[in-house]
């Protein structure tokens, strides 16, 4: 096992399989909720509703021309392969595109940096920046929103190719690694690269999938030891009997570099294994047995309040032994007996725990008819992984929150202080229609016992609407030749003070968003439709 350097950790109190954490709850304001979700009606756009205590500022939108853009990549949220809106009466066909491909800017990463440049060498680009990879573009690309800049320099195209001249794949997750001083961008594919990229213009992008593997890596996060954690979203097979539910098919990974300051110096990739409470053996993926896994006792146990499970990390790839040829992490995780989950999307370390608690979510089946229902994870779940330190090989897992038709399809996560967790949904057009409600942004308490009926329910901070462009796309959805998604999706919720040092790793400090005079800022993107990125602020 490679050993990485890590920051000193405060002393932990270990009690059985749980950890006692210190630290104040922080100062996130108590905000009134929004009720209900915005309803969905064919052909009808809807406004986004926010808690009376919140307001949002538009940072940029998809039609904003890129600083340094190209004919293939001219706009923040659109490729150059068609008009930004269909002509009246125009319909898609197999050989005709009615509108440009919408690139879907995904996870946001906020950094405060000095000395950044761009295509205009005479311009001062400021010090506050928001980076994104784009999920549905050809080629894939990286953008930087220059938060201090004027309109002409507002969004810079940073890269469309890697250092070898290969086009970038579509990008989902991102984070800043302060040890390696690189942005980390992940793709949701076992056949595409995973990247590290410099923050400076133009960004130099390198495929590092020979080290960290290739998988449906939706989320990526650093810990204080210099490890990288990956949360995978790979949809499983539908059951034959349970035809509206999917087999758990995705894994949680941890990459331990030999040198955290140089990720390509080699390292070990591990996957999380969870032990059954019934048999004391690992809960594993069963090939060709989708129905059996969908409604297994272990599947239900994992999503049962009050149960705690032993965990351990199993090594699936070691560059010292296996070399640096890109590899399929999902296949190796299955072969090693790691435990599959139902489409995890993202994970974050809870502040105040010295990186001893990692909270991650599942999206679930995004179908109200799922035979898995709430008890078997059909609507998604939130889990807490506890360890003695971030590099520990063993730990424990328990359920934080079990989704239902109203609270479903969890996507991005961000802590607003030591306890308050902000969770956004990605339910998709089908579930939107089935439950007659668009996505929501929820506030939960990560320290709460949600299995207790006395525990207050999550608070809806934002009820997402649907912009006119997404409303039009929803009408086209399913037509031959139409390549875009329909309803808007909340993505990229990100709360950060922009600190690019090791002390700025999310989880080190107690966040203080929406607090007067605080450097902490909150961003999210209304993906699809107009592809607008917003900053949330207190309503004055």
């Amino acid at each position: 096992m490679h050993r990485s350097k890590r920051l000193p950790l405060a002393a932990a109190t270990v009690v059985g399989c749980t950890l006692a954490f210190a630290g104040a709850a922080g100062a996130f304001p108590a905000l009134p909720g929004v009720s209900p979700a915005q309803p969905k009606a064919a052909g009808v756009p809807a406004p986004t509703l926010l808690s009376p205590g919140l307001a949002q500022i538009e940072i940029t939108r998809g039609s904003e021309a890129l600083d340094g853009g190209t004919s293939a990549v001219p706009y923040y949220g659109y490729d150059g392969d068609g008009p930004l809106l269909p002509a009246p009466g125009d319909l898609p066909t197999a050989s005709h595109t009615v509108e440009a491909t919408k690139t879907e800017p995904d996870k946001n990463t906020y950094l405060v940096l000095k000395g950044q440049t761009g295509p205009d060498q005479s311009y001062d680009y400021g010090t506050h920046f928001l980076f994104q990879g784009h999920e549905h573009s050809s080629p894939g690309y990286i953008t930087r929103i220059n938060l201090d800049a004027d309109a002409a320099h507002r969004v810079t195209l940073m890269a469309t190719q890697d250092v070898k001249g290969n086009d970038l794949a579509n990008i989902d997750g991102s984070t800043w690694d302060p040890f390696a001083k690189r942005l980390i961008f992940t793709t949701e594919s076992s056949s595409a690269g995973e990247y590290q990229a410099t923050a400076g213009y133009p960004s130099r992008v390198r495929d590092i999938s020979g080290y960290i593997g290739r998988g449906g890596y939706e989320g990526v996060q650093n810990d204080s030891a210099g490890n990288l954690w990956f949360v995978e979203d790979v949809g499983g097979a539908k059951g034959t009997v349970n035809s509206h539910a999917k087999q758990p098919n995705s894994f949680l990974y941890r990459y331990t570099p030999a040198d955290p300051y140089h990720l390509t110096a080699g390292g070990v990739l591990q996957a999380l294994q969870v032990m059954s409470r019934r048999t004391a053996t690992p809960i594993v993926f069963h090939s060709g047995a989708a129905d059996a896994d969908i409604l297994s006792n272990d599947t239900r146990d994992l999503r049962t309040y009050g149960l705690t499970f032993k965990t351990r990390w199993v090594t699936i790839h070691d560059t010292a032994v296996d070399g640096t040829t890109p590899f399929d992490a999902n296949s190796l995780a299955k072969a090693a007996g790691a435990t599959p989950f139902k489409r995890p999307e993202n994970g974050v370390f809870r502040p105040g725990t010295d990186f001893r608690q990692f909270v991650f979510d599942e999206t679930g089946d995004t179908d109200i008819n799922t035979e898995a229902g709430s008890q078997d994870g059909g609507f998604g779940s939130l889990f807490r992984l506890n360890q003695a330190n971030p590099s520990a090989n063993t730990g424990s897992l328990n359920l934080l929150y079990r989704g239902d038709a109203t609270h479903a399809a969890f996507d991005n996560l961000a802590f607003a202080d030591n306890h308050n967790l902000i969770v956004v949904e990605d339910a998709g057009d089908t579930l939107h229609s089935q439950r007659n409600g668009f996505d929501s942004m929820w506030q939960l308490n990560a320290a709460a016992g949600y299995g207790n009926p006395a525990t207050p329910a999550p608070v809806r901070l934002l009820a997402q609407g649907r912009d006119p462009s997404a409303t039009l796309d929803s009408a086209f959805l399913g037509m031959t030749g139409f390549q875009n998604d329909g309803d808007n999706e909340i993505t990229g919720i990100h709360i950060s003070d922009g600190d690019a040092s090791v002390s700025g790793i999310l989880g080190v400090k107690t966040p203080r968003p929406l607090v007067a005079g605080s450097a902490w800022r909150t961003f999210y993107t209304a993906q699809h439709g107009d592809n607008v990125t917003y900053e949330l602020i207190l309503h004055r």
Side-chain angles (χ1 to χ4, degrees), residues 134-159:
H134 291 250
E135 186 179 1
H136 187 201
S137 54
S138 182
Y141 62 94
I142 297 167
T143 51
R144 184 189 71 198
I145 299 175
N146 309 306
L147 295 165
D148 303 326
D150 61 20
H153 302 89
R154 188 62 165 174
V155 189
T156 298
L157 178 62
M158 298 294 287

Side-chain angles (χ1 to χ4, degrees), residues 155-523:
V155 189
T156 298
L157 178 62
M158 298 294 287
T160 61
Q161 294 183 325
D162 65 19
V163 293
K164 294 184 178 180
N166 300 311
D167 284 347
L168 299 183
N170 291 337
I171 294 169
D172 283 275
S174 70
T175 195
W176 170 250
D177 185 335
F179 296 97
K181 291 184 171 53
R182 294 291 187 272
L183 289 153
I184 308 299
F185 291 102
T186 58
T187 67
E188 203 173 353
S189 172
S190 61
S191 60
E194 313 288 345
Y195 305 111
Q196 66 173 18
T198 59
Y201 177 86
S203 181
R204 291 182 54 80
V205 183
R206 180 174 178 179
D207 182 357
I208 58 173
S209 59
Y211 302 87
I212 66 174
R214 293 180 172 181
Y217 295 160
E218 181 81 7
V220 55
Q221 181 64 50
N222 272 99
D223 66 29
S224 59
N227 305 313
L228 286 172
W229 295 53
F230 300 98
V231 177
E232 184 178 50
D233 174 12
V234 178
K238 289 187 176 181
T240 302
V241 176
N242 305 291
S243 60
H244 301 93
K246 297 176 182 178
Q247 182 180 24
N249 189 51
S250 306
F251 300 90
L252 182 65
Y253 303 89
R254 182 179 68 186
Y255 177 67
T256 300
D259 179 355
Y261 298 91
H262 300 90
L263 297 178
T264 55
V268 172
L269 184 69
Q270 297 176 305
L272 188 71
Q273 185 181 77
V274 183
M275 309 304 289
S276 168
R277 287 174 56 92
R278 296 169 182 264
T279 65
T281 60
I283 302 171
V284 300
F285 175 88
H286 295 96
S287 180
D291 284 302
D293 281 356
I294 288 168
L295 297 182
S296 73
N297 289 329
D298 287 327
T299 295
R300 178 163 293 191
D301 286 349
L302 278 172
R303 295 155 186 89
T304 299
Y305 290 116
L307 300 183
T308 299
F309 300 81
K310 294 180 179 179
T311 65
R312 65 186 179 196
W313 291 96
V314 293
T315 296
I316 64 173
H317 189 273
D318 184 342
T319 57
V321 176
D322 304 309
T324 58
T325 301
F327 57 93
D328 183 340
N330 185 277
S331 296
L332 293 183
K334 289 173 180 173
T339 298
F341 293 90
K342 290 179 73 73
R343 296 182 56 205
E345 290 269 359
N346 274 277
V348 287
F349 286 96
R350 181 178 162 197
T353 69
D354 292 317
F355 293 86
R356 290 168 288 162
Q357 187 174 96
F358 186 72
V359 177
F360 66 99
D361 62 8
E362 295 178 309
T363 295
D365 296 321
T366 60
D367 188 330
I368 206 166
N369 298 309
T370 174
E371 293 84 0
S374 180
Q375 290 184 321
D376 295 285
F379 294 107
S381 308
L382 286 160
F383 294 99
R384 290 177 287 218
L385 175 63
N386 296 314
Q387 298 185 166
N389 62 68
S391 295
N393 280 321
T394 60
S396 65
L397 181 79
N398 59 55
L399 179 71
L400 167 58
Y401 186 80
R402 187 173 63 202
D404 52 37
T406 301
H407 316 81
F410 304 128
D411 194 303
N412 287 181
L413 310 172
F415 271 99
D417 58 25
N418 288 0
H419 297 335
N420 285 295
L421 178 67
I422 309 302
V423 182
V424 300
E425 297 179 331
D426 177 13
D429 292 66
T430 298
L431 186 52
H432 292 163
S433 297
Q434 291 172 333
R435 68 180 186 179
N436 189 29
F438 294 119
D439 292 338
S440 294
M441 177 185 294
W442 299 101
Q443 176 186 346
L444 295 94
N445 186 343
Y450 280 101
N452 184 342
T455 301
V459 176
R460 182 186 283 112
L461 297 180
L462 181 151
Q464 187 175 52
R466 183 172 61 178
D467 63 43
S469 180
T471 305
L472 183 61
D473 290 347
S474 188
F476 283 133
L477 204 64
M479 291 186 182
T480 300
F482 188 70
Q483 81 280 27
N484 290 322
D485 286 290
D487 304 338
N488 293 119
E489 164 200 337
I490 309 173
T491 194
I493 183 68
H494 182 61
I495 298 174
S496 170
D497 66 352
D499 185 349
S501 74
V502 171
S503 297
I505 298 173
L506 296 180
V508 172
K509 307 172 186 176
T510 297
R512 291 174 54 82
L514 309 180
V515 175
S518 171
W520 291 80
R521 301 174 72 172
T522 304
F523 303 94

